[in-house]
Amino acid sequence: MDEDDVAPEAILSLSKAEIEDLSVGELEARIGALEAEIERVRAVIAQKQDSKSAAEAVFGKG
């Protein structure tokens, strides 16, 4: 597993984390980190879709 990979349990824990006591700055930093992670995931999805499309072009849908 890559050091940047996050276990599904860690993702689920994000929604259960106590955030009420965080400052506005900490909350904004958290949003920034989450948005960066969303973009990283979207990039991987796009890469996988491109690979699948390329394979289908070569081998046909099957």
Side-chain angles (χ1 to χ4, degrees):
M1 183 183 288
D2 189 288
E3 67 183 34
D4 290 333
D5 288 344
V6 178
E9 306 84 43
I11 294 170
L12 291 175
S13 71
L14 289 173
S15 65
K16 297 177 184 177
E18 295 293 328
I19 59 171
E20 289 78 18
D21 293 332
L22 297 178
S23 70
V24 170
E26 290 170 322
L27 291 167
E28 289 173 343
R30 183 179 176 91
I31 289 170
L34 291 168
E35 288 173 339
E37 178 63 7
I38 289 167
E39 287 305 311
R40 186 175 77 92
V41 171
R42 285 185 173 146
V44 171
I45 289 170
Q47 179 184 25
K48 289 178 180 265
Q49 288 173 331
D50 290 346
S51 294
K52 181 181 176 188
S53 295
E56 288 174 347
V58 171
F59 299 107
K61 290 186 177 184

